[in-house]
Amino acid sequence: MKINWREIPSPCYVLEEERLIKNLQLMKYVQESASVDIICALKGYSLHATFPTLLQYLHGATASSLHEARLVYEKMGVKAHTYCAVYVPQDFDEIQNYSSHLTFNSLSEYNRWKDKVAEGISCGLRVNPGYSEVGTELYNPCAPNSRLGIARNLIGDTLPEGIEGLHFHALCENNSYTLERVLLSFMGLYDDLLKQVKWVNFGGGHLMTKEGYDIEHLIKILRQFRLQYPNIEQVILEPGSAVGWQTGYLMSTILDIVQNDKLPIAMLDVSFTCHMPDCLEMPYQPKILNISEHGKYEYYMGGLSCLAGDYMGTWKFEQPLNIGDKVIFDDMIHYTMVKTSTFNGINLPSIGIWSLTQKFQLLNSYGYEDYASRLS
Ligand SMILES: Cc1ncc(COP(=O)(O)O)c(C=O)c1O
C-alpha cells in the first residue's frame, strides 16, 4: 500500500489498517486451530478507534488498571480480563463493573479482596512459572526477587477457595519454542493446581505476527496442552505487541541539521524519550523507511527534547538530508502512544489511520490543553 505522506500532518502515528487486519486474521487462525482465546493487551496496543475491528477477530482484551478496563468496556463493548499488579482500593468497586475476570498478584491481595468480588466475576492468581528467556532485566517478570506472580512454594496443594484460573506472563517478544520451554517449567511446577482450574492465561509476549514465527508449532503445543488438561475450559493468550506489530509508523520532519562533531544530526519534530521511549529503554534502534543500509550519508537522528540522550544511533542515507524532509520510523504502533509523555512541554504526535480505502483519517491531534491538564 502506498501512503501519501504529504496528506499527513507531522508528527503523526499512522496505522495501516490493512496490516492490522492481516495480523488479526493470523491470530484468528491460531484461535480457531488451537481452541484458544486471544485477547489484546491494552498496555501494548490501545488504539481504540480500531477496537470494533479487533473484536471481529479477537475475544476481547486484558486490562491492567481501572482506566484500561473502562476503555475496554466503553470502546470494545466487552468486559476485560483484568490483572493489576496491585489493586488500588478506591478503584476496586468500579473496576468490577468493567471486568469479567480478576487476577490477583499475591495471596494477600486475593485474601484482602475476595469477599468484595461481585458474583459472576471469575478470579485467578498470577503465578511465577519459574522460567523465562527475557534478556532485558527491565522486562523480565521471572527475574530473581520479582514482585510479579506468586512463587510455587507459597501455594499449597489446593488452590484457595474461589480461584478458578491461573495466569502467568513470562514472555517478551518470544517465539513458540520459548513458550514450549516456559510451559514445561509451568506444568512441572503447577501440574496439580492446573487440574483444579477452569481457565489458564499464558500472558503476553507471543510475537506470532513476526515474520518467521512458527505458527504451526505454536498451534501444536497449545493443542498438546489442551489434551493434557481436559478439565481446563479456556486457554487464553493476551499479546499486545503481536496485535500492533509492524502495523504502522511515526512520521516526523527534519527541522534543523546541526554538526558539532564528526557527524551531522538531523533535529526532528519528534522525541525518542517522549514518543518512542522503548528505543531508549529496551534499547533498540528503529528502522527508518526507504533508506539503504549502504548509503554514504550518515546522520544521527536527534529528538526535540533537551535530554542529552534523546537520540538513537546513526542511519545511512543515499542522499544528503534536507530541512523539511520526512523521516518515517517503522513499527511505531505498539508500546508507543500508550507510553508517551509531554516532557519539556513537547506536544504529542497526532494519531491517524491509512484506511483500506487508501485514505488518511486523522483520529486525534493534541495541543496545549492536553499538556496543561496533566499538570496543575
Ligand atoms: C501481564 C501481561 N500480559 C500481557 C502483556 C503483553 O505483552 P506483549 O505486549 O509483549 O505481548 C504484558 C506486557 O508486559 C503483561 O505484563
Side-chain angles (χ1 to χ4, degrees):
M1 192 173 293
K2 190 117 181 71
I3 295 179
N4 182 0
W5 296 104
R6 270 174 304 207
E7 277 183 34
I8 300 173
S10 183
C12 189
Y13 294 108
V14 182
L15 174 97
E16 259 193 82
E17 194 179 10
E18 186 180 305
R19 286 172 178 260
L20 177 69
I21 290 175
K22 205 171 135 229
N23 283 355
L24 296 172
Q25 283 169 337
L26 187 125
M27 293 168 124
K28 190 172 182 190
Y29 169 71
V30 172
Q31 286 186 130
E32 288 172 353
S33 311
S35 305
V36 298
D37 290 349
I38 301 182
I39 60 179
C40 172
L42 256 66
K43 69 193 88 191
Y45 181 93
S46 291
L47 214 169
H48 53 77
T50 64
F51 281 3
T53 308
L54 254 61
L55 203 56
Q56 289 173 31
Y57 299 87
L58 306 183
H59 266 85
T62 177
S64 40
S65 62
L66 169 63
H67 291 171
E68 282 190 355
R70 182 169 165 184
L71 199 71
V72 172
Y73 187 70
E74 291 188 353
K75 304 286 183 186
M76 212 180 268
V78 295
K79 290 195 172 180
H81 291 238
T82 303
Y83 155 75
C84 294
V86 65
Y87 285 93
V88 177
Q90 57 271 32
D91 292 352
F92 195 75
D93 283 341
E94 192 183 346
I95 224 167
Q96 297 195 66
N97 297 336
Y98 313 128
S99 306
S100 58
H101 295 64
L102 290 180
T103 297
F104 296 87
N105 186 54
S106 71
L107 290 170
S108 55
E109 267 280 272
Y110 179 58
N111 288 331
R112 182 161 30 255
W113 295 115
K114 65 180 181 198
D115 295 334
K116 301 215 168 64
V117 175
E119 236 186 275
I121 295 183
S122 184
C123 291
L125 294 179
R126 174 165 173 175
V127 296
N128 187 327
Y131 181 83
S132 71
E133 295 180 8
V134 182
T136 314
E137 265 325 63
L138 186 64
Y139 297 112
N140 186 2
C142 299
N145 204 30
S146 170
R147 71 191 194 294
L148 304 171
I150 306 164
R152 176 65 188 92
N153 62 314
L154 298 178
I155 315 174
D157 300 337
T158 318
L159 283 169
E161 205 188 322
I163 289 297
E164 297 186 326
L166 286 180
H167 168 112
F168 72 74
H169 169 73
L171 304 177
C172 180
E173 297 194 358
N174 286 126
N175 63 27
S176 59
Y177 295 90
T178 303
L179 172 65
E180 192 171 29
R181 291 186 282 273
V182 172
L183 281 181
L184 209 65
S185 168
F186 177 57
M187 293 188 291
L189 286 171
Y190 295 90
D191 180 67
D192 50 348
L193 302 181
L194 281 166
K195 291 183 176 126
Q196 301 167 33
V197 294
K198 282 190 189 161
W199 56 266
V200 66
N201 183 326
F202 293 166
H206 316 269
L207 203 47
M208 60 186 86
T209 49
K210 185 180 180 180
E211 211 182 312
Y213 188 103
D214 192 342
I215 290 290
E216 296 307 322
H217 177 253
L218 172 68
I219 292 168
K220 189 175 121 202
I221 58 175
L222 292 172
R223 277 189 185 153
Q224 276 169 359
F225 182 88
R226 300 233 57 162
L227 286 175
Q228 202 159 331
Y229 298 97
N231 58 300
I232 296 181
E233 293 163 19
Q234 196 186 20
V235 174
I236 304 154
L237 274 65
E238 49 173 40
S241 299
V243 176
W245 186 255
Q246 293 283 355
T247 56
Y249 318 94
L250 175 57
M251 186 197 81
S252 67
T253 305
I254 299 176
L255 302 179
D256 190 15
I257 297 175
V258 297
Q259 183 159 4
N260 296 319
D261 210 328
K262 285 195 192 92
L263 288 178
I265 307 165
M267 302 291 287
L268 304 172
D269 62 355
V270 290
S271 154
F272 289 95
T273 187
C274 299
H275 309 142
M276 305 174 263
D278 272 5
C279 296
L280 302 180
E281 284 181 16
M282 199 87 159
Y284 79 99
Q285 188 182 25
K287 283 210 170 90
I288 292 176
L289 285 204
N290 300 334
I291 66 164
S292 149
E293 284 175 13
H294 309 294
K296 57 180 181 176
Y297 300 96
E298 190 172 6
Y299 291 81
Y300 281 99
M301 295 290 129
L304 81 169
S305 82
C306 64
L307 176 73
D310 194 357
Y311 70 94
M312 178 32 75
T314 65
W315 286 260
K316 287 181 174 166
F317 297 81
E318 272 171 359
Q319 305 290 332
L321 296 180
N322 293 301
I323 292 170
D325 284 351
K326 301 279 181 245
V327 172
I328 297 151
F329 293 96
D330 194 12
D331 197 19
M332 282 296 162
I333 300 299
H334 55 98
Y335 291 101
T336 50
M337 46 198 108
V338 290
K339 287 180 105 173
T340 47
S341 79
T342 53
F343 176 55
N344 273 208
I346 288 167
N347 201 10
L348 300 168
S350 302
I351 298 178
I353 293 186
W354 188 262
S355 73
L356 285 178
T357 55
Q358 311 278 346
K359 289 205 175 71
F360 177 68
Q361 195 191 347
L362 182 65
L363 297 173
N364 215 340
S365 50
Y366 304 89
Y368 171 75
E369 292 307 329
D370 299 290
Y371 163 66
S373 67
R374 294 169 73 168
L375 303 164
S376 64

